[in-house]
Amino acid sequence: MSHNRTDKRSARERLQEQRAMDEARRKRKRALIAAGVIVVVLGAVGGIGALIAGQDDDDAGDARGPVVEPKGAAGKKRVAIPAGAAGAASTLTVYEDFRCPGCAGFENGFRKTINELREAGQLRTEYHLVTLIDGNFGGSGSLRAANAAACAQDAGKFPGYHDMLFENQPKESDDAFADRGYLIDLAGKVPGLDTPDFRACVNKGTHESWVKKVNSAFGTSGHSATPTVLLNGDNVYGDQSDPLTPEKLKKEVTQAARKKG
């Protein structure tokens, strides 16, 4: 009898062990299936995330959000800030960087003539604000100064602020224009510009995505240096054999205005 009870107990134990093993296998199977589902879902979510990210890049152009153009942005891709009469006989297209010493040299040498011709209704200027120096020396002064200039355009004060930036240009390696407070201080020297709206535009970097768009367009424009100055589409500043002077610019613009009548 004792032997029979031992056999029965052993059989019961073996059955329990078998059931425990079967249950463990079922649990492992369920865990593996669940893990597989999670991987698939995560993969799908990752794919959707990548797609959304790609759409954001296409639509926004920058982490800050959609490209916000300044008022009156001109040109095929609206990457230029215009100044002067739309019906002027001549258009001066200028690609420049607010940190670029050569650009300051051009602006400081031609400012008086350009302003006189523009005020006379004979010349329209279109400025493309690029950020080459940020790329060459590091920093963000070119970007932030260009954004501030675009904010000045919103306020109808672009020409005066544009000139103020070049009159106060730091050394090429000095990223002083990265200081938004400094850019606002300079705006205080342009009558009527230092307003709450202007300050908010500068501090938020409202037009920085647009400036990046301008710089990208410059990269595909066929031009590679700043300043690049075109008069009615002709590169008049890059020809060192026949350099442009304020007198020559005035003569050509005046002649074009006379022909137009």
Side-chain angles (χ1 to χ4, degrees):
M1 292 294 293
S2 176
H3 179 72
N4 289 337
R5 284 197 299 270
T6 301
D7 289 343
K8 290 178 180 179
R9 186 169 57 250
S10 298
R12 259 193 324 270
E13 290 173 353
R14 286 197 296 272
L15 181 59
Q16 289 173 350
E17 290 173 357
Q18 184 64 42
R19 287 175 177 173
M21 291 173 62
D22 291 343
E23 180 61 24
R25 279 197 294 270
R26 283 194 293 270
K27 287 181 178 180
R28 284 198 299 272
K29 185 175 181 180
R30 286 195 297 268
L32 289 171
I33 292 172
V37 170
I38 291 171
V39 169
V40 170
V41 170
L42 289 176
V45 170
I48 292 170
L51 177 59
I52 292 172
Q55 290 173 341
D56 288 344
D57 288 343
D58 291 340
D59 296 339
D62 184 76
R64 291 181 176 272
V67 171
V68 180
E69 300 168 354
K71 291 181 180 178
K76 184 177 180 181
K77 296 182 179 180
R78 297 188 300 279
V79 292
I81 293 181
S90 296
T91 299
L92 193 73
T93 303
V94 184
Y95 296 86
E96 59 188 9
D97 184 324
F98 284 114
R99 290 180 69 186
C100 162
C103 299
F106 167 75
E107 289 294 341
N108 294 334
F110 285 80
R111 180 178 297 114
K112 181 179 178 181
T113 301
I114 290 174
N115 286 341
E116 287 177 354
L117 293 171
R118 196 162 51 201
E119 290 169 6
Q122 298 179 338
L123 182 68
R124 174 183 173 87
T125 51
E126 293 188 352
Y127 293 96
H128 297 246
L129 310 179
V130 301
T131 59
L132 292 182
I133 306 303
D134 283 357
N136 292 340
F137 282 89
S140 58
S142 300
L143 173 66
R144 291 185 175 179
N147 171 72
C151 295
Q153 169 68 7
D154 289 343
K157 301 288 183 179
F158 173 79
Y161 189 64
H162 165 273
D163 293 349
M164 184 63 63
L165 288 173
F166 277 115
E167 288 170 1
N168 291 273
Q169 185 189 73
K171 292 181 180 180
E172 187 176 18
S173 58
D174 182 354
D175 198 26
F177 283 161
D179 183 348
R180 300 184 198 275
Y182 180 50
L183 295 171
I184 291 172
D185 288 344
L186 291 177
K189 299 181 180 182
V190 179
L193 178 56
D194 187 5
T195 64
D197 284 346
F198 174 80
R199 289 186 172 218
C201 184
V202 171
N203 287 324
K204 291 179 181 178
T206 299
H207 299 299
E208 287 183 8
S209 294
W210 176 79
V211 174
K212 292 177 181 180
K213 175 183 173 181
V214 175
N215 194 62
S216 294
F218 175 68
T220 60
S221 67
H223 307 298
S224 58
T226 55
T228 292
V229 182
L230 312 176
L231 180 61
N232 298 324
D234 295 329
N235 193 335
V236 294
Y237 197 67
D239 185 0
Q240 297 305 311
S241 64
D242 186 20
L244 183 69
T245 64
E247 294 74 21
K248 182 179 177 181
L249 175 62
K250 186 174 183 177
K251 180 181 178 180
E252 293 192 15
V253 170
T254 301
Q255 287 177 347
R258 286 173 181 169
K259 289 181 181 178
K260 185 178 179 181

